[in-house]
Each structure stands twice: as structure tokens, then as C-alpha cells.
Amino acid sequence: MKKIINTDHAPAAVGPYSQGNALGNLVFTSGQLPLNPETMKFPEGGIKEQAAQALENLKAILQAADADLSTVLKVTCYLDDINDFADFNEVYTDFFGTENAPARSCFEVGALPMGALVEIEAIAYRKED
């Protein structure tokens, strides 16, 4: 049976979707915008600050699902501007490292909700007890 994942440590959904779902050992997160969950605003700065916030939101949802960044199998990253790729990778590496990084797709899109510079979603597995 599907389990809805919800946490106050990540922004509430801004549309008709859940923060994430779990089915068996798998966790599927919705795309995470760089919204501060307390203010529902983007952090000051540019792509690096927004990437860090989006990844913190992703991390919070994974933790609520009994998973974490080390159990992520696949990440999809949406960038408003592909020219931000190198700066995005710098922050992404701080969270995932390089040795055991998950599979990933990263591409530019026409626009992101609320004018965000980045949105990130993941598929992970739940830790076994």
C-alpha cells in the first residue's frame, strides 16, 4: 500500500501533490523547490543558495520516509539556466559527494514554478531495520 510522506521540515506542497510517496522499500519525492519551509520564500542569492535549500528540502522528505541521501538511487534536476550547471554541481557534490553518487539527469527547462532557479526530485530506498 502506498504511504504518503509529509514533514513540516520541508515546504508544504504548492499544488495538488504530496511531498513524497513510499511503496515497499521505494521512496519517490516530488520536485523540491528552494523554498524555506518556515517562510515559503526563496533564499537570498543565486543558484548555489537555491540549490542548497532545495537539497535540504529533499533531505528532510527522505528522512521522513526512513531514507537519506545515501539511499538515493536516481536524481532528476531541473535548471532554469543550463549555464548554472557548474555552480549547481558544486553544491550538489557537497550533498552527494562523488564516490557513491546516485544516477542523475540534469537539464534546462523553459521555466520553473514561482520563478525558481532549480527543482530537484529523487527516487530512493528506505533503510531496512
Side-chain angles (χ1 to χ4, degrees):
M1 170 125 339
K2 176 174 83 169
K3 177 184 175 188
I4 302 296
I5 307 303
N6 190 35
T7 178
D8 292 336
H9 299 291
V14 295
Y17 59 89
S18 60
Q19 291 172 324
N21 293 308
L23 181 64
N25 280 7
L26 291 178
V27 176
F28 301 84
T29 72
S30 291
Q32 293 306 299
L33 294 173
L35 292 167
N36 178 307
E38 294 177 11
T39 65
M40 292 301 285
K41 295 184 184 216
F42 296 144
E44 295 289 326
I47 187 63
K48 288 183 178 184
E49 293 79 10
Q50 286 199 20
Q53 182 63 61
L55 287 161
E56 287 293 343
N57 295 342
L58 182 72
K59 189 164 96 172
I61 292 166
L62 292 170
Q63 289 172 340
D66 297 323
D68 62 32
L69 294 177
S70 73
T71 69
V72 172
L73 301 170
K74 173 76 165 72
V75 177
T76 305
C77 309
Y78 307 94
L79 299 177
D80 181 62
D81 184 348
I82 200 66
N83 292 311
D84 288 335
F85 189 73
D87 287 338
F88 172 78
N89 276 339
E90 192 176 312
V91 175
Y92 183 90
T93 301
D94 289 343
F95 282 79
F96 285 105
T98 56
E99 289 302 310
N100 198 17
R104 184 182 92 173
S105 299
C106 188
F107 47 92
E108 178 179 293
V109 295
L112 290 166
M114 303 172 69
L117 300 178
V118 62
E119 183 173 359
I120 305 167
E121 65 184 32
I123 300 170
Y125 61 91
R126 295 167 66 152
K127 295 180 180 179
E128 296 186 29
D129 295 330

